[in-house]
Amino acid sequence: MLIGEYQHNIDAKNRVIVPAKFREDLGKRFYVTKGLDGCLFVIPSQGWEQLQEKIAAMPISKSRSLQRFFFAGAAEVEPDKQGRILIPQNLREYAGLEKDVTFIGTSTRAEIWSTENWNRINSELTQDNIAQAMDALDF
């Protein structure tokens, strides 16, 4: 399970270290694509295949935007021996990644955020928002 929050930096060659605890769950190769709210989704191979299957099962009239959003700019990545991956320019630009990044685990996928955007989105969370979401789960 992908959980936790980790701070890292993008180096001069546009590589970033994937947290060691995440590399175990993500596997040798995984996928980085555009996510929601201005982050990047980091999806293990099995999750990527499930996403592809679900989108392929939809009528093209409903799936074409999802296909374009998730697949057009996606990258299959494999960490080097130091656990670093190269994040392509289009994805760095989409998520506003420059130097300081935050990896978070969201159970079945990880997300990569610019630390500035991560701090901003966290400041917008309120106890009321969380309580309403928890009510929907009967938690």
PDB file of all heavy atoms in Angstrom, residues 22-39:
ATOM      1  N   PHE A  22       7.987   3.453  -1.686  1.00  0.00           N
ATOM      2  CA  PHE A  22       7.085   3.426  -2.835  1.00  0.00           C
ATOM      3  C   PHE A  22       7.609   2.488  -3.920  1.00  0.00           C
ATOM      4  O   PHE A  22       6.835   1.825  -4.599  1.00  0.00           O
ATOM      5  CB  PHE A  22       6.916   4.820  -3.428  1.00  0.00           C
ATOM      6  CG  PHE A  22       6.052   5.745  -2.625  1.00  0.00           C
ATOM      7  CD1 PHE A  22       5.525   5.388  -1.398  1.00  0.00           C
ATOM      8  CD2 PHE A  22       5.770   7.010  -3.103  1.00  0.00           C
ATOM      9  CE1 PHE A  22       4.728   6.251  -0.667  1.00  0.00           C
ATOM     10  CE2 PHE A  22       4.969   7.880  -2.391  1.00  0.00           C
ATOM     11  CZ  PHE A  22       4.445   7.511  -1.172  1.00  0.00           C
ATOM     12  N   ARG A  23       8.932   2.435  -4.098  1.00  0.00           N
ATOM     13  CA  ARG A  23       9.505   1.616  -5.173  1.00  0.00           C
ATOM     14  C   ARG A  23       9.114   0.153  -5.023  1.00  0.00           C
ATOM     15  O   ARG A  23       8.870  -0.529  -6.015  1.00  0.00           O
ATOM     16  CB  ARG A  23      11.024   1.767  -5.211  1.00  0.00           C
ATOM     17  CG  ARG A  23      11.463   3.140  -5.685  1.00  0.00           C
ATOM     18  CD  ARG A  23      12.932   3.203  -6.047  1.00  0.00           C
ATOM     19  NE  ARG A  23      13.843   2.857  -4.981  1.00  0.00           N
ATOM     20  CZ  ARG A  23      14.455   3.724  -4.187  1.00  0.00           C
ATOM     21  NH1 ARG A  23      14.231   5.013  -4.307  1.00  0.00           N
ATOM     22  NH2 ARG A  23      15.299   3.310  -3.269  1.00  0.00           N
ATOM     23  N   GLU A  24       9.023  -0.318  -3.800  1.00  0.00           N
ATOM     24  CA  GLU A  24       8.628  -1.704  -3.564  1.00  0.00           C
ATOM     25  C   GLU A  24       7.237  -1.985  -4.134  1.00  0.00           C
ATOM     26  O   GLU A  24       7.021  -2.957  -4.838  1.00  0.00           O
ATOM     27  CB  GLU A  24       8.615  -1.958  -2.057  1.00  0.00           C
ATOM     28  CG  GLU A  24       9.290  -3.231  -1.641  1.00  0.00           C
ATOM     29  CD  GLU A  24       9.311  -3.337  -0.135  1.00  0.00           C
ATOM     30  OE1 GLU A  24      10.285  -2.838   0.469  1.00  0.00           O
ATOM     31  OE2 GLU A  24       8.359  -3.918   0.417  1.00  0.00           O
ATOM     32  N   ASP A  25       6.288  -1.113  -3.827  1.00  0.00           N
ATOM     33  CA  ASP A  25       4.908  -1.310  -4.270  1.00  0.00           C
ATOM     34  C   ASP A  25       4.710  -0.963  -5.744  1.00  0.00           C
ATOM     35  O   ASP A  25       3.833  -1.531  -6.396  1.00  0.00           O
ATOM     36  CB  ASP A  25       3.942  -0.479  -3.418  1.00  0.00           C
ATOM     37  CG  ASP A  25       3.799  -1.032  -2.014  1.00  0.00           C
ATOM     38  OD1 ASP A  25       3.904  -2.264  -1.844  1.00  0.00           O
ATOM     39  OD2 ASP A  25       3.583  -0.234  -1.082  1.00  0.00           O
ATOM     40  N   LEU A  26       5.486  -0.035  -6.269  1.00  0.00           N
ATOM     41  CA  LEU A  26       5.323   0.366  -7.670  1.00  0.00           C
ATOM     42  C   LEU A  26       5.930  -0.647  -8.636  1.00  0.00           C
ATOM     43  O   LEU A  26       5.495  -0.752  -9.772  1.00  0.00           O
ATOM     44  CB  LEU A  26       5.947   1.749  -7.899  1.00  0.00           C
ATOM     45  CG  LEU A  26       5.205   2.916  -7.253  1.00  0.00           C
ATOM     46  CD1 LEU A  26       6.046   4.190  -7.314  1.00  0.00           C
ATOM     47  CD2 LEU A  26       3.849   3.126  -7.900  1.00  0.00           C
ATOM     48  N   GLY A  27       6.940  -1.371  -8.194  1.00  0.00           N
ATOM     49  CA  GLY A  27       7.578  -2.362  -9.045  1.00  0.00           C
ATOM     50  C   GLY A  27       8.728  -1.787  -9.853  1.00  0.00           C
ATOM     51  O   GLY A  27       9.089  -0.622  -9.716  1.00  0.00           O
ATOM     52  N   LYS A  28       9.302  -2.633 -10.722  1.00  0.00           N
ATOM     53  CA  LYS A  28      10.479  -2.238 -11.502  1.00  0.00           C
ATOM     54  C   LYS A  28      10.154  -1.154 -12.524  1.00  0.00           C
ATOM     55  O   LYS A  28      10.973  -0.304 -12.819  1.00  0.00           O
ATOM     56  CB  LYS A  28      11.079  -3.443 -12.219  1.00  0.00           C
ATOM     57  CG  LYS A  28      11.769  -4.402 -11.295  1.00  0.00           C
ATOM     58  CD  LYS A  28      12.449  -5.502 -12.068  1.00  0.00           C
ATOM     59  CE  LYS A  28      13.188  -6.421 -11.117  1.00  0.00           C
ATOM     60  NZ  LYS A  28      14.010  -7.388 -11.817  1.00  0.00           N
ATOM     61  N   ARG A  29       8.963  -1.240 -13.105  1.00  0.00           N
ATOM     62  CA  ARG A  29       8.505  -0.244 -14.084  1.00  0.00           C
ATOM     63  C   ARG A  29       7.115   0.192 -13.693  1.00  0.00           C
ATOM     64  O   ARG A  29       6.294  -0.608 -13.265  1.00  0.00           O
ATOM     65  CB  ARG A  29       8.468  -0.832 -15.486  1.00  0.00           C
ATOM     66  CG  ARG A  29       9.817  -1.053 -16.074  1.00  0.00           C
ATOM     67  CD  ARG A  29       9.698  -1.542 -17.484  1.00  0.00           C
ATOM     68  NE  ARG A  29      11.036  -1.615 -18.039  1.00  0.00           N
ATOM     69  CZ  ARG A  29      11.295  -1.630 -19.304  1.00  0.00           C
ATOM     70  NH1 ARG A  29      10.320  -1.610 -20.183  1.00  0.00           N
ATOM     71  NH2 ARG A  29      12.536  -1.688 -19.732  1.00  0.00           N
ATOM     72  N   PHE A  30       6.865   1.478 -13.896  1.00  0.00           N
ATOM     73  CA  PHE A  30       5.547   2.014 -13.593  1.00  0.00           C
ATOM     74  C   PHE A  30       5.300   3.221 -14.478  1.00  0.00           C
ATOM     75  O   PHE A  30       6.130   3.550 -15.328  1.00  0.00           O
ATOM     76  CB  PHE A  30       5.416   2.338 -12.099  1.00  0.00           C
ATOM     77  CG  PHE A  30       6.567   3.101 -11.510  1.00  0.00           C
ATOM     78  CD1 PHE A  30       6.575   4.485 -11.502  1.00  0.00           C
ATOM     79  CD2 PHE A  30       7.646   2.431 -10.961  1.00  0.00           C
ATOM     80  CE1 PHE A  30       7.637   5.193 -10.963  1.00  0.00           C
ATOM     81  CE2 PHE A  30       8.716   3.121 -10.408  1.00  0.00           C
ATOM     82  CZ  PHE A  30       8.701   4.513 -10.405  1.00  0.00           C
ATOM     83  N   TYR A  31       4.166   3.865 -14.278  1.00  0.00           N
ATOM     84  CA  TYR A  31       3.738   4.921 -15.191  1.00  0.00           C
ATOM     85  C   TYR A  31       3.523   6.229 -14.444  1.00  0.00           C
ATOM     86  O   TYR A  31       3.026   6.246 -13.323  1.00  0.00           O
ATOM     87  CB  TYR A  31       2.438   4.525 -15.896  1.00  0.00           C
ATOM     88  CG  TYR A  31       2.651   3.331 -16.799  1.00  0.00           C
ATOM     89  CD1 TYR A  31       2.601   2.041 -16.279  1.00  0.00           C
ATOM     90  CD2 TYR A  31       2.965   3.493 -18.137  1.00  0.00           C
ATOM     91  CE1 TYR A  31       2.833   0.947 -17.085  1.00  0.00           C
ATOM     92  CE2 TYR A  31       3.201   2.404 -18.951  1.00  0.00           C
ATOM     93  CZ  TYR A  31       3.137   1.126 -18.420  1.00  0.00           C
ATOM     94  OH  TYR A  31       3.383   0.046 -19.221  1.00  0.00           O
ATOM     95  N   VAL A  32       3.905   7.319 -15.102  1.00  0.00           N
ATOM     96  CA  VAL A  32       3.668   8.659 -14.589  1.00  0.00           C
ATOM     97  C   VAL A  32       2.812   9.370 -15.630  1.00  0.00           C
ATOM     98  O   VAL A  32       3.114   9.341 -16.825  1.00  0.00           O
ATOM     99  CB  VAL A  32       4.990   9.431 -14.360  1.00  0.00           C
ATOM    100  CG1 VAL A  32       4.710  10.831 -13.831  1.00  0.00           C
ATOM    101  CG2 VAL A  32       5.904   8.672 -13.414  1.00  0.00           C
ATOM    102  N   THR A  33       1.728   9.972 -15.170  1.00  0.00           N
ATOM    103  CA  THR A  33       0.820  10.660 -16.076  1.00  0.00           C
ATOM    104  C   THR A  33       0.210  11.862 -15.373  1.00  0.00           C
ATOM    105  O   THR A  33       0.401  12.057 -14.171  1.00  0.00           O
ATOM    106  CB  THR A  33      -0.283   9.702 -16.587  1.00  0.00           C
ATOM    107  OG1 THR A  33      -1.005  10.332 -17.648  1.00  0.00           O
ATOM    108  CG2 THR A  33      -1.228   9.283 -15.480  1.00  0.00           C
ATOM    109  N   LYS A  34      -0.521  12.666 -16.127  1.00  0.00           N
ATOM    110  CA  LYS A  34      -1.220  13.803 -15.537  1.00  0.00           C
ATOM    111  C   LYS A  34      -2.226  13.293 -14.521  1.00  0.00           C
ATOM    112  O   LYS A  34      -2.897  12.294 -14.757  1.00  0.00           O
ATOM    113  CB  LYS A  34      -1.979  14.579 -16.611  1.00  0.00           C
ATOM    114  CG  LYS A  34      -1.119  15.269 -17.614  1.00  0.00           C
ATOM    115  CD  LYS A  34      -2.026  15.977 -18.613  1.00  0.00           C
ATOM    116  CE  LYS A  34      -1.366  16.174 -19.938  1.00  0.00           C
ATOM    117  NZ  LYS A  34      -2.321  16.662 -20.940  1.00  0.00           N
ATOM    118  N   GLY A  35      -2.317  14.009 -13.427  1.00  0.00           N
ATOM    119  CA  GLY A  35      -3.313  13.691 -12.412  1.00  0.00           C
ATOM    120  C   GLY A  35      -4.288  14.842 -12.263  1.00  0.00           C
ATOM    121  O   GLY A  35      -4.278  15.790 -13.042  1.00  0.00           O
ATOM    122  N   LEU A  36      -5.089  14.756 -11.253  1.00  0.00           N
ATOM    123  CA  LEU A  36      -6.080  15.797 -10.990  1.00  0.00           C
ATOM    124  C   LEU A  36      -5.510  16.839 -10.037  1.00  0.00           C
ATOM    125  O   LEU A  36      -4.563  16.571  -9.304  1.00  0.00           O
ATOM    126  CB  LEU A  36      -7.343  15.171 -10.410  1.00  0.00           C
ATOM    127  CG  LEU A  36      -7.999  14.100 -11.296  1.00  0.00           C
ATOM    128  CD1 LEU A  36      -9.189  13.479 -10.586  1.00  0.00           C
ATOM    129  CD2 LEU A  36      -8.417  14.685 -12.635  1.00  0.00           C
ATOM    130  N   ASP A  37      -6.074  18.012 -10.068  1.00  0.00           N
ATOM    131  CA  ASP A  37      -5.696  19.108  -9.174  1.00  0.00           C
ATOM    132  C   ASP A  37      -4.265  19.599  -9.388  1.00  0.00           C
ATOM    133  O   ASP A  37      -3.679  20.206  -8.498  1.00  0.00           O
ATOM    134  CB  ASP A  37      -5.885  18.705  -7.697  1.00  0.00           C
ATOM    135  CG  ASP A  37      -7.316  18.310  -7.385  1.00  0.00           C
ATOM    136  OD1 ASP A  37      -8.232  19.027  -7.831  1.00  0.00           O
ATOM    137  OD2 ASP A  37      -7.511  17.288  -6.703  1.00  0.00           O
ATOM    138  N   GLY A  38      -3.673  19.307 -10.550  1.00  0.00           N
ATOM    139  CA  GLY A  38      -2.335  19.816 -10.841  1.00  0.00           C
ATOM    140  C   GLY A  38      -1.191  18.957 -10.337  1.00  0.00           C
ATOM    141  O   GLY A  38      -0.072  19.435 -10.211  1.00  0.00           O
ATOM    142  N   CYS A  39      -1.445  17.687 -10.066  1.00  0.00           N
ATOM    143  CA  CYS A  39      -0.368  16.789  -9.651  1.00  0.00           C
ATOM    144  C   CYS A  39      -0.131  15.759 -10.746  1.00  0.00           C
ATOM    145  O   CYS A  39      -0.815  15.747 -11.765  1.00  0.00           O
ATOM    146  CB  CYS A  39      -0.716  16.089  -8.340  1.00  0.00           C
ATOM    147  SG  CYS A  39      -1.966  14.785  -8.490  1.00  0.00           S
TER     148      CYS A  39
END
